[in-house]
Amino acid sequence: MALLTPEDLDNLSAQFEESESTIERVTGSKLTDICKELYGKDLGSEKVGIIPITAGNGIISNFTSSLLFIAQRLGLEGFITQHTDVAGYYEAIRDGADILLMADDHLFIAHNLRNGKLVTNHEATGIIYSEIASRFKDAASSEILVIGLGRVGYAGAKHLAEKGFDVYACDPNRDFLDKAADELGIKEYCKEDRKKFSMVFEATPNANTITEGMIAERCLVSTPGIPCGLPQEVGRKYRVDLVMEPLFIGVTSMLYSVI
Ligand code: PYL
Ligand code: MG
């Protein structure tokens, strides 16, 4: 999995403001309203304990401070533990955290100690970005294209299939495509069909995965992907709205998912 860099999280607030206004414009709803409808509950006064984890590549300098910013921006009380790893885990519980947030290089989880709910960032991110794509007000049909069937892409494709959307997907990994077709009834996107989509959920760690032949004249691309899968010249040539942000949207979905 591609790891965030401190630069990805620079001016997180400005990145979030921009994506929040795009979400509202293209879906007609605020991100928090979408999450309320998705998960059926509103955030309360949960206290969020954020634990720095030194495993693997170690601490990302502004990762936990970004999580604290997100929790507080959502109106929750939050704190970053003084200690890391197990000592930090102990400190968070001792100091009354209701929800724990912590990430190593493989999993980023939210765990609600009060109700036992547990979610990963890749599930919550796949669900919220695919949900945003599916709510495009100017969509020409209920057909939606999912690019990438890894952990994030598959979670989003599963969510869309369960909501009854006509889901097409592409991924270079044949096994991923077969699994999605067998388990979710998803259709393989074939360039030769020349089908164009006005709703695209992109979840790959690559650039330029979206080509002109895939998108309709008016299109929404919703992606947590770093780098962006939409080539600039394609975004300029067509009327493409882009919802892309490195962390805030995914973490908001995680927190709503475990309350
Ligand atoms: C959660 C992000 C989304 C994309 N890639 C994931 C990533 O970068 N994971 C690594 C997070 C490491 C955090 C580090 C710390 O500062 O606690 N262990
Ligand atoms: Mg995100």
Side-chain angles (χ1 to χ4, degrees):
M1 169 179 66
L3 300 184
L4 287 168
T5 67
E7 294 71 34
D8 291 330
L9 300 177
D10 275 346
N11 59 37
L12 189 69
S13 176
Q15 292 190 70
F16 171 64
E17 303 289 339
E18 186 184 348
S19 54
E20 167 78 306
S21 65
T22 306
I23 292 168
E24 215 167 324
R25 177 164 50 77
V26 297
T27 70
S29 301
K30 279 185 171 303
L31 172 63
T32 47
D33 293 331
I34 294 172
C35 287
K36 262 185 243 168
E37 285 173 44
L38 259 185
Y39 299 111
K41 285 190 79 177
D42 199 355
L43 295 177
S45 55
E46 288 84 4
K47 190 173 180 181
V48 182
I50 299 161
I51 306 155
I53 301 296
T54 61
N57 281 275
I59 301 286
I60 297 173
S61 58
N62 51 1
F63 180 73
T64 49
S65 56
S66 297
L67 299 184
L68 180 60
F69 165 73
I70 295 166
Q72 292 172 337
R73 187 70 167 54
L74 292 170
L76 298 174
E77 185 186 349
F79 65 99
I80 299 170
T81 57
Q82 294 302 312
H83 298 88
T84 64
D85 307 305
V86 176
Y89 181 86
Y90 173 83
E91 181 189 335
I93 294 173
R94 185 199 60 201
D95 292 356
D98 298 305
I99 297 172
L100 303 181
L101 289 180
M102 55 184 142
D104 64 15
D105 295 350
H106 307 288
L107 278 187
F108 170 18
I109 64 166
H111 179 204
N112 186 323
L113 299 170
R114 307 305 172 221
N115 61 20
K117 287 186 181 179
L118 180 67
V119 73
T120 63
N121 175 261
H122 60 264
E123 289 164 315
T125 294
I127 288 168
I128 190 61
Y129 276 94
S130 60
E131 177 71 17
I132 289 165
S134 75
R135 285 171 174 249
F136 185 36
K137 285 193 302 183
D138 299 341
S141 76
S142 67
E143 294 176 338
I144 190 161
L145 176 61
V146 176
I147 303 175
L149 287 170
R151 298 190 306 178
V152 174
Y154 189 87
K158 182 169 184 288
H159 174 66
L160 294 170
E162 286 167 355
K163 282 193 73 175
F165 280 89
D166 200 1
V167 184
Y168 290 76
C170 55
D171 190 293
N173 184 313
R174 182 78 251 163
D175 294 341
F176 285 9
L177 275 168
D178 293 344
K179 177 172 185 278
D182 297 346
E183 294 179 2
L184 307 175
I186 277 166
K187 288 170 239 169
E188 180 176 351
Y189 166 78
C190 296
K191 198 164 53 172
E192 300 65 41
D193 295 350
R194 308 179 72 77
K195 188 177 278 292
K196 291 179 174 287
F197 296 86
S198 53
M199 297 185 285
V200 177
F201 163 51
E202 198 274 358
T204 77
N206 307 312
N208 305 331
T209 53
I210 299 171
T211 60
E212 274 196 62
M214 291 174 169
I215 58 173
E217 174 59 30
R218 187 83 186 78
C219 175
L220 169 61
V221 171
S222 174
T223 176
I226 297 175
C228 182
L230 177 70
Q232 281 198 344
E233 62 277 9
V234 177
R236 274 197 298 271
K237 188 172 174 185
Y238 293 79
R239 287 173 60 220
V240 178
D241 280 298
L242 176 65
V243 172
M244 180 179 75
E245 178 279 330
L247 193 62
F248 200 113
I249 293 171
V251 172
T252 301
S253 179
M254 290 173 80
L255 290 170
Y256 273 87
S257 165
V258 297
I259 50 174

